[in-house]
Amino acid sequence: HPKSFISEKPSNIVHHLESYSVNKHETWVNEDENLIALTTEEHDEFHKIYGNRNNTRSQFNEYLESKGIDPI
């Protein structure tokens, strides 16, 4: 299994940095540069804070900073 970008625990979720719901017709939406490995707990926490649609890389960077991690 890949490891979570945040905790380095085994990851079982791939998160879209730029929301799939908005960009599903774009060819890049499922490219590696737009995906990041997370644990289920981390993914659920992010979406509890930011909602489940229209998410952005900027929101994810804010989430990282709240955990003391440099933005990507």
Side-chain angles (χ1 to χ4, degrees), residues 19-60:
S19 181
Y20 180 80
S21 63
V22 173
N23 300 295
K24 61 186 165 197
H25 299 295
E26 300 291 337
T27 57
W28 54 264
V29 76
N30 286 316
E31 296 291 326
D32 289 345
E33 296 80 28
N34 192 47
L35 304 173
I36 196 154
L38 300 175
T39 66
T40 299
E41 294 80 14
E42 294 159 350
H43 191 248
D44 289 349
E45 180 181 49
F46 172 86
H47 284 294
K48 184 176 181 181
I49 296 168
Y50 295 100
N52 290 312
R53 298 180 67 76
N54 305 322
N55 300 119
T56 65
R57 180 182 294 262
S58 167
Q59 290 173 328
F60 191 75

